[in-house]
Amino acid sequence: MTSPRIVCMGEPLIEFNQVDDSGRYLFGHGGDTSNCAIAAARAGAEVGYFTALGEDEFGDSIARLWAENNVDASRVLRKAEAHTGVYFVSHGEKGHVFSYLREGSAASRVTPADLPRDYIAKADILHMSGISMAISSSAADAVLEAISVARENDTLVSFDTNLRLKLWPLERARAMIGAAMAMTDIALPGLEDAEQLTGLSDPDAIADHYLKDGAKVVALTLGAEGCLIATQDERRKVPGIRVNAVDATGAGDTFDGNFLAEYLRTQDPFKAARYANAAAALSTQGFGAVAPMPMRDAVLKALEGEAAA
């Protein structure tokens, strides 16, 4: 693959996900934009990824994962002086809780000078997130520079707010994510994130906020209620499908990847949202961020079942 249609950028992570109260954790993989890349690839899109990994077994494991899922990693850097990031997921009454071991990681050391500019320029969509910026000042600079490269070359910019206040204070997050969202074509905020970032609580008001910033499409995710899709000309709430959820760790990332893949396929954000809602719901039926992500056939089957019900 020389020029994938979707290029994602950020930090992949090794995941240890709590499976019961005895202290057992399931080994897996995570990192929001890496999850998005895999989800999009499983939906049939041509996808590439840019980051830096440590020259360690965890980095090798992530590289194998991308290869197994047809995600192009030809531009990924390997750094002998830095480690690959790790996180733990625990589950409680308030949902899942993340604990990170990522300070000084290889991905956090990426700078604007490291960017694969031609790779970004040839893509149809560049996807990043608030976490892509939050891991370090140099990473934040790299994200803003990548957006500039994309805009100069008519590559659409996709951005998920993905607010993680364990990584940076709210005021800095508002400033940096706000700067990125003001240059974003496809805005992918979650409701809870958007409430904290904008001070707004009404979904329509949040959609209006990001449309005024310049987004062509706003896909505001609403959890089990589906999502609100808004463009300059139309808006609709697109419902999700009902499943027996056990772990929502990668659901938002699954939504992002499937939305972008289907949007490229159809150029219709409402159809893309219906497809992405179903994929995200299916991904909550197993533990871990990546393992439960569905393939395209499973999503289409679930949508057929909903239509027949």
Side-chain angles (χ1 to χ4, degrees):
M1 187 187 300
T2 55
S3 54
R5 298 192 68 189
I6 299 171
V7 170
C8 299
M9 174 178 164
E11 180 171 36
L13 296 161
I14 291 297
E15 174 190 82
F16 291 94
N17 199 306
Q18 183 184 20
V19 294
D20 57 33
D21 294 331
S22 69
R24 291 195 305 122
Y25 284 79
L26 180 69
F27 177 89
H29 304 87
D32 62 338
T33 56
S34 177
N35 297 341
C36 172
I38 293 167
R42 290 185 183 181
E46 296 177 354
V47 187
Y49 199 82
F50 171 69
T51 189
L53 297 171
E55 287 189 355
D56 49 31
E57 173 54 34
F58 285 167
D60 293 343
S61 179
I62 291 170
R64 288 193 296 269
L65 175 75
W66 287 329
E68 291 164 1
N69 284 276
N70 297 314
V71 174
D72 177 59
S74 60
R75 301 302 185 91
V76 170
L77 307 175
R78 300 298 295 265
K79 294 184 179 288
E81 72 279 10
H83 66 279
T84 301
V86 178
Y87 76 106
F88 296 80
V89 186
S90 57
H91 304 272
E93 293 180 359
K94 295 183 179 180
H96 48 278
V97 177
F98 297 89
S99 299
Y100 301 100
L101 294 173
R102 72 199 315 176
E103 185 175 353
S105 68
S108 73
R109 301 187 188 200
V110 167
T111 72
D114 294 322
L115 292 173
R117 294 169 183 268
D118 60 322
Y119 200 60
I120 295 168
K122 293 176 183 177
D124 291 321
I125 295 175
L126 170 68
H127 175 76
M128 295 161 299
S129 76
I131 297 175
S132 304
M133 306 184 84
I135 55 177
S136 72
S137 294
S138 68
D141 292 343
V143 166
L144 293 175
E145 181 66 16
I147 291 174
S148 294
V149 173
R151 290 170 67 87
E152 289 167 4
N153 291 278
D154 296 323
T155 298
L156 293 175
V157 175
S158 166
F159 197 90
D160 186 326
T161 50
N162 244 354
L163 180 64
R164 294 288 186 271
L165 294 178
K166 288 185 177 182
L167 299 178
W168 55 0
L170 181 57
E171 288 307 312
R172 177 166 169 77
R174 283 174 172 164
M176 299 304 292
I177 291 175
M181 290 292 269
M183 298 184 286
T184 290
D185 300 293
I186 302 170
L188 297 165
L191 179 60
E192 184 177 341
D193 288 356
E195 288 174 340
Q196 295 184 76
L197 290 167
T198 68
L200 303 169
S201 58
D202 177 65
D204 282 302
I206 291 168
D208 288 338
H209 173 88
Y210 289 121
L211 288 172
K212 288 176 183 176
D213 267 358
K216 296 179 176 68
V217 176
V218 176
L220 177 65
T221 52
L222 306 171
E225 300 305 312
C227 62
L228 174 68
I229 301 298
T231 69
Q232 297 291 349
D233 301 317
E234 186 179 359
R235 70 181 58 194
R236 252 185 266 162
K237 186 175 178 181
V238 181
I241 67 171
R242 300 294 175 179
V243 297
N244 293 320
V246 298
D247 178 17
T249 300
D253 308 330
T254 302
F255 177 91
D256 290 354
N258 282 274
F259 182 88
L260 296 177
E262 198 65 8
Y263 183 69
L264 280 181
R265 188 187 303 272
T266 66
Q267 299 298 306
D268 184 328
F270 302 100
K271 289 181 180 178
R274 181 172 177 268
Y275 181 91
N277 279 345
L282 292 176
S283 76
T284 69
Q285 294 182 298
F287 286 99
V290 173
M293 286 180 179
M295 302 296 286
R296 181 170 177 78
D297 287 348
V299 180
L300 294 175
K301 184 177 180 180
L303 288 171
E304 290 172 2
E306 282 286 300

